[in-house]
Amino acid sequence: MEKKTCIAMVPCPGQGHLIPLVEFAKTLIHQHNNLHLTLLIPTLGPPTPSIKAILNSLPPNIDFNILPHISIQDLPQNVHPAIHMKLTVTHSLPFLHEALTSLNTRTHLVALIFDVFSSDALHLANQFNILSYVFFTSGALTLSFCLSFPKLDETVSSQFIDSTKTVNVPGSIIPFQVKDLVDLVLYERSSEIYKIYLGLCQKLYFVDGIIVNSFTDMEAEAIRAVQEKTTFVDSPSVYPVGPIIGTGSTSKESQMECIQWLNNQPPKSVLYICFGSGGTITHDNLNEIAFGLELSGQKFLWVLRAPNNSASSSYLMGQMEDHLSYLPSGFLNRTKEQGLVVPSWAPQIEILSHGSTGGFLSHCGWNSTLESVVHSVPMIAWPLFAEQRMNAIVLTDVLKVAVRPKVDDQSSGIVKHEEIARVIKIIMEEEEGLQIRKRIKDLSDAAAVALSEHGSSTRALSILAHKFQNI
C-alpha cells in the first residue's frame, strides 16, 4: 500500500502560536485533502481545557501528539516568556526526534513546519532530509524586521541603545523608533533573550520557506520586500496565506452569557475590551480604563484579567485570582446597565462577528488584529509587548483603521481616563470613527478576496501544497 504524504507541524507553547498553526493546518487540508498532517506539540505543563477541545475537534486528516510535558522548574525563572517558549521546544527535541522517526516509518514524511520559536527543530528536518518551513504568526512587516535584524546587529547595533533613534524597516513607508520595535531587541546585547532572538532571526535564512499569516492588500509593500531578492538576497521563498484566524469557540456554554448580553444591545453600540490570551495592564491603567468607560457613557464588554506591572505576566501561565476585586469601588453597580465584565476569557471570534460590537480596544497582537480586520471592527490600539507596538503604528499611521490614546506619563505608561473616553467616542460616535469604519470594511473585503478561490492567499497555499505533493 502506498504511504500517505505527511507533513509534521511543531508549534510552540502559547495559545496565540498554537491556534494559528492549527487553523492553517485545517485550511491546508480543506483545500488539499490528499495530504495528511500531524501536530507534534511541545508543552509546558498539561494543555488547557480549551486547547484540548480544539485538538479533539480536528478533522480526520489531522492527527496530534502531545509530547511529554517540560517542567517549568527545569527552566530559568523570572525571564521573558519567549525564553520559556524557545527552551520548551529545545528540551522537547528528543521527544520530537522519536515522533518523527515513527512518522517517517509509517508515512511518506515530506516536510516539517514549525513556529519561529520552535526553530531548533530545523536540524531534525535536515537529519530526516525533509523540507523545512517556518510558520510566522506575526505579519509581513515584522518578518521583514526579523530578516533585517542580523545585518542590523552586525552594522549598527549601537543604535538600539538610544530608544529614540529611528530604524527603516524594508517594506515600511514610515520609520520606527527603536522603542517601538520588537521588544526583544531592547535588551542588552549580551543578554540571553537578545541572543535567542538574534539566533531565531538568523535561522530564517536556512529554511526552505516561510509561511506568513498576512495578505497582499494589507501589507503590500512589506510582502513585496520579503518576496523580492533585492533586499534579502539569501532569504527563502515567502508564502502569504492569510488571514488565517480561528473559527470560534467549541464550547457553547462558555459563550452563552456574553452572546446573550450582546443580543440585547443596539447594532454597533458595544466596545469590546481584551488584551489577548495573556496580556496584562497595571492596576493604575485598569482603574483609568474603568473611569474612562464610565465617562464615555458607551456600552462595553470587558474581558478582565488581574493587573500586573509585567505586561506578559500571564502569557504562558494562567491566573486564578478574583479579577473583579481589582475594579474601582462601586464600578460594577454604577455600570450594570452600561456594560458587562467577564473574568479572564471570552469567545472573541463570536464577539467580534456580532452585530452589536462596534469597536475593539486591543493589545494589537497579530491574531487579534487579523480577527478585527476580517470582522470589520475598528480598533483602539493599546500595545503591550512583543511586536505589538509595530502593529499599532501600522494600524494607526499606515492603514488608518485604529486610533491610539496618548500616554500621560511616559515613565509610568499611564493613560488618563479623560483620554480613554476621548478615543472611545472617536471610534463609537464621531465622523473620524465613521471614516475608520469605512477603511476597515474595505480591508475586510480585501481579506475575503485574498481567501477566495482565485485569491492571492489561496494561490500561495496551492503553490506550497504542490511542492509537498510532488516530492
Side-chain angles (χ1 to χ4, degrees):
M1 180 183 295
E2 186 178 353
K3 292 181 178 179
K4 54 193 173 186
T5 299
C6 182
I7 299 157
M9 296 185 169
V10 184
C12 72
Q15 189 166 304
H17 288 258
L18 173 64
I19 291 177
L21 189 59
V22 167
E23 294 300 329
F24 168 72
K26 288 159 65 174
T27 302
L28 180 59
I29 284 296
H30 178 71
Q31 296 184 20
H32 304 277
N33 60 14
N34 57 327
L35 296 172
H36 193 93
L37 309 182
T38 297
L39 290 155
L40 306 175
I41 305 172
T43 56
L44 190 62
T48 64
S50 60
I51 293 297
K52 284 182 180 178
I54 290 167
L55 295 174
N56 288 328
S57 63
L58 290 171
N61 279 28
I62 305 177
D63 294 329
F64 68 91
N65 180 356
I66 298 176
L67 302 177
H69 310 322
I70 302 303
S71 171
I72 195 167
Q73 304 305 320
D74 295 334
L75 303 181
Q77 303 301 303
N78 302 314
V79 294
H80 195 286
I83 292 182
H84 281 170
M85 291 158 67
K86 194 259 186 188
L87 290 182
T88 299
V89 178
T90 305
H91 285 234
S92 298
L93 287 177
F95 309 126
L96 276 171
H97 185 276
E98 183 180 346
L100 287 171
T101 300
S102 175
L103 273 178
N104 198 40
T105 302
R106 295 181 287 107
T107 70
H108 177 42
L109 184 63
V110 298
L112 185 64
I113 300 175
F114 43 84
D115 188 278
V116 68
F117 287 102
S118 301
S119 59
D120 278 353
L122 172 61
H123 87 271
L124 293 178
N126 295 334
Q127 185 177 338
F128 283 89
N129 195 29
I130 57 178
L131 296 174
S132 58
Y133 291 83
V134 164
F135 184 79
F136 199 79
T137 52
S138 298
L141 190 65
T142 303
L143 173 59
S144 178
F145 176 71
C146 289
L147 290 169
S148 303
F149 187 58
K151 189 169 288 293
L152 285 171
D153 174 75
E154 290 174 4
T155 58
V156 288
S157 61
S158 60
Q159 73 184 20
F160 296 115
I161 298 171
D162 184 351
S163 66
T164 63
K165 286 189 176 182
T166 59
V167 172
N168 292 309
V169 178
S172 175
I173 62 174
I174 57 172
F176 290 87
Q177 287 190 321
V178 169
K179 66 181 178 65
D180 292 321
L181 296 172
V182 179
D183 64 2
L184 303 181
V185 308
L186 306 182
Y187 289 77
E188 292 288 337
R189 197 180 184 202
S190 60
S191 67
E192 185 67 16
I193 187 61
Y194 186 98
K195 292 176 182 177
I196 283 176
Y197 183 69
L198 176 60
L200 296 177
C201 294
Q202 290 169 333
K203 282 184 178 177
L204 291 172
Y205 284 88
F206 295 96
V207 297
D208 292 299
I210 301 172
I211 305 159
V212 62
N213 192 7
S214 190
F215 61 101
T216 304
D217 281 355
M218 186 169 180
E219 296 192 280
E221 295 301 322
I223 288 173
R224 188 176 299 115
V226 297
Q227 285 186 321
E228 293 178 353
K229 298 300 182 182
T230 51
T231 304
F232 306 113
V233 179
D234 299 320
S235 64
S237 299
V238 174
Y239 304 87
V241 299
I244 303 289
I245 66 169
T247 53
S249 170
T250 56
S251 171
K252 297 302 180 186
E253 183 179 345
S254 62
Q255 62 183 272
M256 193 173 297
E257 181 186 17
C258 292
I259 303 307
Q260 284 186 348
W261 184 83
L262 282 172
N263 289 342
N264 294 321
Q265 310 309 318
K268 307 295 182 189
S269 66
V270 176
L271 177 71
Y272 172 56
I273 305 154
C274 183
F275 292 96
S277 58
T280 50
I281 56 174
T282 65
H283 200 177
D284 286 338
N285 270 328
L286 188 152
N287 283 332
E288 295 295 338
I289 288 176
F291 293 135
L293 289 168
E294 281 194 76
L295 182 62
S296 75
Q298 295 292 329
K299 291 183 173 293
F300 64 87
L301 172 53
W302 186 358
V303 181
L304 185 70
R305 190 172 287 115
N308 195 294
N309 289 333
S310 171
S312 59
S313 65
S314 63
Y315 185 68
L316 293 178
M317 306 300 289
Q319 298 174 325
M320 301 299 291
E321 300 177 64
D322 177 12
H323 304 355
L324 302 185
S325 66
Y326 290 97
L327 290 166
S329 178
F331 173 79
L332 291 174
N333 282 333
R334 293 193 301 273
T335 60
K336 61 183 178 182
E337 302 300 325
Q338 180 187 350
L340 177 67
V341 180
V342 296
S344 297
W345 183 90
Q348 181 157 296
I349 296 294
E350 288 84 348
I351 291 169
L352 289 174
S353 62
H354 198 284
S356 294
T357 303
F360 182 14
L361 195 161
S362 170
H363 66 310
C364 302
W366 193 245
N367 294 328
S368 289
T369 295
L370 291 179
E371 289 163 6
S372 205
V373 165
V374 167
H375 295 294
S376 192
V377 180
M379 285 166 272
I380 297 173
W382 193 306
L384 297 176
F385 60 96
E387 88 292 11
Q388 294 162 14
R389 290 181 180 84
M390 291 183 72
N391 296 342
I393 289 170
V394 171
L395 291 170
T396 56
D397 297 353
V398 179
L399 297 173
K400 299 184 188 302
V401 294
V403 294
R404 187 170 177 180
K406 295 180 177 65
V407 176
D408 182 69
D409 180 354
Q410 291 294 337
S411 61
S412 67
I414 292 176
V415 182
K416 291 295 187 183
H417 62 274
E418 297 91 349
E419 173 67 4
I420 294 168
R422 183 185 74 84
V423 294
I424 290 174
K425 288 184 177 180
I426 287 175
I427 283 290
M428 304 299 291
E429 291 182 355
E430 297 177 7
E431 176 62 28
E432 183 180 347
L434 292 176
Q435 294 304 313
I436 291 172
R437 198 173 297 279
K438 181 181 183 303
R439 283 191 288 270
I440 202 164
K441 177 62 168 65
D442 291 342
L443 197 56
S444 176
D445 292 342
V449 170
L451 295 174
S452 65
E453 183 179 357
H454 301 293
S456 58
S457 295
T458 303
R459 291 198 305 272
L461 189 64
S462 294
I463 292 169
L464 190 62
H466 183 75
K467 288 183 179 295
F468 300 148
Q469 292 161 340
N470 287 275
I471 295 174

